[in-house]
Structures are given as C-alpha cells and as structure tokens.
Amino acid sequence: MNTSRPDSASGRTRLRGDSVLKAAVATAAVAIIGLLLALGYNLYSGSSLTISKFGFSFLPGTTWDPVHEIFGALPFIYGTIVTSLLALLIGLPISLGVAIFLTEKIKGRRTTRYLLGTLIELLAAVPSVIYGLWGLFFLSPLLRQYVETPLSTYLGFIPIFSGTPFGLDFFTAGVILSIMIIPTVTAVSRDILNAVPNSQREAMYSLGGTNWEVTRKSVLPYARSGIFGATILGLGRAVGETMAVTMVIGNTPRITASLFSGGYTLPAVIANEFTEATSPLYLSALVELGLILFVVALAINVFARFLVWRMTHGVRSRVR
Amino acid sequence: MTQDIASLGADRRRLVDRVMTAMVGVAVILALTPLVLIIGDVVIQGAPVLSLSFLTGLPTPVGVPGGGIANALVGSFVMVGIAALIAVPIGVGAGIFFSEWPESRLSFISSFMNDVLAEFPSIVIGIFVYVVIVLTTRTFSALAGAVALSIIMIPIVARTTEESLKIVPVTLREASMALGISRWKTVIRIVISTGKSGLATGILLAVARAAGETAPLLLTALGSTFFATGLFQPTAALPLLIYTYGISPFADWHARAWGAALILVIVMLGLNLTVKLVIGRRYSEMRAEI
C-alpha cells in the first residue's frame, strides 16, 4: 500500500509530462495546417473586389490595363504555361539522365555518387536572384547570339521561332527555369529509381539484357508513375519561380506564338507591380493572380506528392 | 546464317547500350555546366568590387563611387534571425510530433500540408504576409519580412527534424523506457540529443534558404537605402539589393550587384557545405528538398 503510492504519483506526473509534450508539439502541427488555411483564406478575401467585379471573366481576359482598371489574367497564365512547359521539355531529359547515371551506371561507387549528388544539390542552393542576375547578363546575350538568332534566321517560318530575338523572352526564361528545376526532378527521380526492387533488374539481366535494356524495359516502366510525379513537382517549381523569370522574360503582357518575344508570368507581374498598385482594385487584381497561383500550386503539389508517395510505398522518409 | 543474325542483333544492342551510356554522361555534364558558369561568373564579376568599405559602407547614388552594402547585410541578418526565432520552435515541435506520433491523423494531414507548404511559390507567401501584416500595420517592415521568411523556414525545419529523429535507433528509446524513464523525458533527453546534429542541419539549411529569398521580401520588407532604426520601417536585404541594382540601367550599380551576389553566394555555399562536410554525410541523404 505504502510502496504503491509514490509509484502511482510518479506515474501520474509521467502521464502529465507526456501529455504536455504531446499537446505542445501537436500545437505546432496544427499551426502548419492553420497557416495553409490562412494563406488560402486571405488571398481569397484580399481579391474579393476583382472577384465580384469581373467574376470568371478575369481568367480568360486578355487586357491588363491598370490605368483604365480593366484586368484579365490570360497573358500571365499563358506566359506561365509556356515557360514551365519549355522548362520541362529541356530539364526533364537531363534530370532523368542524371538520375539514371546515379542509380544505374555508378551504383557501386559511393564516393562518386556522393560528390555528384552534392554538386547537383548546390545547384539548388544558388538563390534565384543570382540565377536572374546571371541570366540577365550572361545567358540572355549568349542565347540571343548563338541560339535565337540562327534559329530565327533559318527556321523563322515556323511561328515559334519567328520575330527578331532580343534575348529577354519566353525562351531565355524557359532555359533558366529548366536549370532551376533540374535539382528537384533529379533528386526525386533518383529516389524513385532507388526504390525499384533489385529483382526487377536481376530478372532482365538474367535474360542477357544490356545495362540500357534493363533500365529501359525493367526499371523505367516500374518507376513510371513516380517519375511522372517528379515531373509534376518540377512543374510546380517552375510555375512559382519568380525572381529569375522576372529578370529575363521582358515583362510585357502579350500572347504570341513566338518564343523569341517578351512575355510575362503570374509571379513576375506580382513581383513587379505589387508595390506600385495604388488603387484597391489594382491591388485586388494582383492578389487574385496570387490566388490563381495558390490554387494551381496546391493542385500540382497534392497530385505530385500522391504519385511519389504511392511509388515509394508510403515510406515518406524517402520522398522529399 | 541464323548465327550471323543473332550476332548482328547483339552488336546493335551493345551499340545502343554504349550510346545511351554516353547520353546519360552528357546529361550529367549539361546539368553541372550551369553551376560552374554561374559560380565562375559571380566570382569574376564580383571580386573586383569587394573591399572593406564595400562591406561597411552605405549605398550611394548612381555615379558616386564607393557605395557599400552594410545596411543590406544588417537587414538580412536581423530578418533571418527573427524568422529563425519564429520558425525553429514551430518547425522542431511539428517535426517531433511527426516522428513520435506518426500514426495519428493530425500527423498525416499536417505533415502532408508541410510538404505542400515547402514547395509553395514564395511570392504567394509574400502576398499573404502583405495582406495580414503590411496592410494592418500600414508599413513595409522588417517584421513583415521576417514573418514571410519564417513561413519559408518552417517546413524545412519540420521535415529535417522529423527525419533526424526517425533515424535514432529504437533500441535507445527502449533502453530508456526500460529504465523507467517517462516518454517525454526520453524524447527530450535521449531522442533529441541523439538527433541534434540533424536538427542543426535543418536549421542551417532553412537559414540558408531564407537568406537567399527575394520575392516575398519585395512585398514585405520592400528595401531601403539607409539603416533601419526599428522593426517597423522598410528594411534593406542582400537579395533585394542585388535585384534592384541588377535591373537598374547603371553600370556601377551592376558592378555592386555582382559584388553583393558574390557575398551571397559565399554565404549560401558556406552554409550548405558546412552542413555537408561538418555535420556529416548521412544527413545529406535526408535533407529537405530546397
């Protein structure tokens, strides 16, 4: 009787301590949920003026005229789509190549793999404003002189290569973005390929397959949905990237087929015009562009996470 | 005859294999070339500008030589510091929750949202903080900038905390619990102290990420050419200064942008390499994607 009292007392403090810890850390977890909800809510309420004034015509509207307060989002949506797709077109094959190199070609060489992985990660560590600076002063003149001018001279009859290249355009923005998404897509694809069971490879090797045949016929089909998820994650990154694009895209709200013409994207117009927006309606229009970005980013991320998560069998620690 | 066809096929297959090996090799070179070009360009263009007065002086107008970036360095330092004070408790707390109570529904939902938040366009976070803080306080400020940066840091800290606590061997926990030590003491004294270099990794990576962020600061801290004397006024930051000087039409401002870029690159690569080399290679495997 006597001996049991201190025991149960310490048992009680133990339980209290446990529940205090749990409550404290659970609060932090709830704060994250609250943060995301607050983000969505405030963007919605902040754009109520334009939502009530323009309704759904805001999305397909092609005029962006702050002086006469006519606002349409299409030029920015168009620019965002064109630059992001271009980024995927260039960045995806390179990222996949690097991922295959890391997982299938130098599987045993841990140090080489580690060094290469580190270098690719450093590419992700470079701040986006520095990509912008470099894009503006180094890449843009280079592309104009050696890629855009020859293409428009010899293939100018194709609409996407028409016009006089100036260097600050959809094309340069797409190339910069492709560089910036490589670390993301590479890292996720590498994890996906690592998650492919070795029995898949062994089966193909035992049939006498070459390294490439094993990769092509056993590994890649198995990893398909996960790689698709990695691609969508890269797309999400490209869609939201602001500084580098703002500095090289030319900042003109225009819808043209030519990649060598100045354009605009959703994040770029927000970055450029937000602090100049003097009227409430103008500000509301910019916040609504942010709301569009929010919805798109949310959809892309949820979809991509789901695909990647399913591929790695819910072992979340592998999915980054 | 059939023998010939078979060997022909084998040759072709071997050739395809070689070509594809070469192609993925080319991909690796293509992926790493920009890194070399960017760092090389930043060093070449930025190094001539660097001097002690560049680090300690205030910006000067166009044409006035000798302008420095001191206010931007201080502004960045203050904002990232305050952001860390906000983000570390929330991020570490959430990370502990994700790793210790992984089965709960709250953990699943919150950790999923944490992933989503980690990939969110930072400009959207800028708008959010503008609507919530700048409109309420009616001024662009260091505080608004810090809050925006903290929202960027939280998911990184939370994810790395979770990962570093998860790899603490279960036998350590069992040993502690078997000695009759309560769960909360086990978590705090055993689990966290074992995983603390992982926590440090996460915080350093989050600081590095926040130090390089520009877009949300455009809408919250705005930038300034003077020292800020309080938390409630427009404040300069290194990335903002690089952006403003970079898109200006003036050659001497361009030069200063490159100088500032070199400082920023040194800080970023320094933090990232510290994480890699000092804290250890096993954490590189689990670094939150940034």
Side-chain angles (χ1 to χ4, degrees), chain B residues 29-44:
Chain B
I29 293 165
L30 283 177
L32 293 180
T33 307
L35 184 68
V36 176
L37 289 178
I38 289 172
I39 293 179
D41 207 22
V42 169
V43 170
I44 290 167

Side-chain angles (χ1 to χ4, degrees), chain A residues 8-297:
Chain A
S8 66
S10 81
R12 237 176 285 136
T13 47
R14 172 179 309 177
L15 281 177
R16 203 180 314 133
D18 285 0
S19 50
V20 167
L21 175 74
K22 185 173 180 182
V25 296
T27 310
V30 171
I32 289 172
I33 301 177
L35 205 55
L36 204 65
L37 295 178
L39 256 162
Y41 174 75
N42 279 289
L43 293 175
Y44 179 76
S45 68
S47 49
S48 58
L49 279 181
T50 38
I51 291 178
S52 60
K53 179 159 186 206
F54 298 107
F56 272 105
S57 71
F58 184 75
L59 291 177
T62 53
T63 312
W64 182 262
D65 184 354
V67 179
H68 298 100
E69 302 217 307
I70 303 168
F71 298 106
L74 198 62
F76 313 113
I77 297 174
Y78 175 79
T80 306
I81 293 173
V82 169
T83 50
S84 305
L85 290 184
L86 203 55
L88 281 187
L89 201 67
I90 304 167
L92 183 63
I94 297 179
S95 307
L96 254 186
V98 177
I100 290 173
F101 187 80
L102 290 172
T103 56
E104 310 298 319
K105 298 288 177 194
I106 52 167
K107 212 169 182 125
R109 301 217 284 271
R110 293 193 55 177
T111 313
T112 320
R113 238 173 47 197
Y114 172 74
L115 282 176
L116 266 179
T118 304
L119 286 175
I120 298 281
E121 278 175 21
L122 284 185
L123 207 55
V126 175
S128 113
V129 69
I130 289 180
Y131 275 104
L133 195 68
W134 178 74
L136 186 60
F137 292 111
F138 183 92
L139 187 65
S140 155
L142 191 83
L143 289 179
R144 184 179 61 162
Q145 194 174 348
Y146 296 106
V147 181
E148 298 184 354
T149 303
L151 277 178
S152 74
T153 308
Y154 299 110
L155 297 171
F157 56 89
I158 305 172
I160 58 168
F161 297 136
S162 62
T164 315
F166 185 58
L168 301 176
D169 47 29
F170 289 120
F171 184 74
T172 306
V175 172
I176 279 270
L177 281 177
S178 74
I179 299 170
M180 297 180 78
I181 65 169
I182 284 174
T184 308
V185 183
T186 302
V188 182
S189 309
R190 182 194 58 190
D191 290 349
I192 298 283
L193 294 185
N194 274 331
V196 173
N198 257 332
S199 55
Q200 288 284 319
R201 299 186 176 87
E202 283 154 7
M204 196 69 200
Y205 275 124
S206 71
L207 292 174
T210 62
N211 186 298
W212 171 247
E213 284 165 342
V214 172
T215 308
R216 172 79 185 77
K217 293 180 179 154
S218 293
V219 178
L220 290 182
Y222 193 91
R224 198 169 42 207
S225 75
I227 288 171
F228 187 57
T231 311
I232 303 292
L233 271 182
L235 182 69
R237 175 140 298 192
V239 162
E241 176 47 46
T242 310
M243 301 320 296
V245 173
T246 308
M247 292 169 89
V248 300
I249 198 168
N251 297 334
T252 33
R254 206 167 13 180
I255 302 176
T256 58
S258 172
L259 293 178
F260 300 155
S261 124
Y264 229 147
T265 65
L266 289 166
V269 69
I270 297 169
N272 264 324
E273 299 188 5
F274 209 81
T275 48
E276 296 163 9
T278 39
S279 77
L281 196 68
Y282 191 4
L283 197 64
S284 167
L286 289 167
V287 176
E288 191 172 349
L289 294 182
L291 181 66
I292 297 172
L293 207 51
F294 175 90
V295 172
V296 171

Side-chain angles (χ1 to χ4, degrees), chain B residues 71 74 78 87 123 149 165 183 204 222 234 241 258 275:
Chain B
N71 61 335
V74 172
V78 168
I123 187 111
L149 293 183
L165 298 190
R183 175 146 190 204
L204 277 185
L222 189 67
L241 181 138
W258 283 108
V275 165

